[in-house]
Amino acid sequence: MVNCSICDEPYGDDRQPLLLACCKGAALCEECLTAHLRVSNRCPLLCQTRPSVRHFVKQCLEATPPMEEFLKSLEAREKENEENSGPITVE
């Protein structure tokens, strides 16, 4: 299961991921994205984009692939990241 990077809630029918139009491959749920854009004029991730709220959410909606396909790609990316990072050990 893949979760939103901000609220950590799992994506599904009631919480759909949006592909951020400015950050290649980054995704957040629409609720977190719109909440963030109400208090900041910067992208919620590390890029320097200063989107307008109305246009940015629309761009993200247009950039986001169909839900099922997008969730599969997010799950595959998360699995790949877990495999590449290996187990965490404490010394």
Side-chain angles (χ1 to χ4, degrees):
M1 180 79 35
V2 181
N3 298 347
C4 173
S5 300
I6 292 180
C7 68
D8 202 34
E9 293 290 327
Y11 293 129
D13 292 334
D14 59 332
R15 184 172 299 277
Q16 297 187 4
L18 285 180
L19 179 66
L20 297 185
C22 60
C23 299
K24 295 180 180 176
L28 298 174
C29 68
E30 186 172 356
E31 291 86 356
C32 287
L33 178 61
T34 52
H36 172 80
L37 292 174
R38 280 189 214 115
V39 297
S40 176
N41 67 345
R42 290 191 181 267
C43 171
L45 301 179
L46 297 176
C47 84
Q48 297 301 310
T49 303
R50 292 177 179 254
S52 75
V53 175
R54 184 177 38 205
H55 298 296
F56 189 63
V57 173
K58 181 181 176 190
Q59 290 170 345
C60 293
L61 286 166
E62 291 171 354
T64 301
M67 173 71 161
E68 232 177 89
E69 173 187 329
F70 192 37
L71 278 177
K72 284 181 184 176
S73 69
L74 290 174
E75 288 169 354
R77 187 179 334 143
E78 187 174 273
K79 184 177 179 180
E80 182 179 312
N81 288 342
E82 288 173 1
E83 290 172 354
N84 289 338
S85 65
I88 298 172
T89 58
V90 177
E91 295 181 22

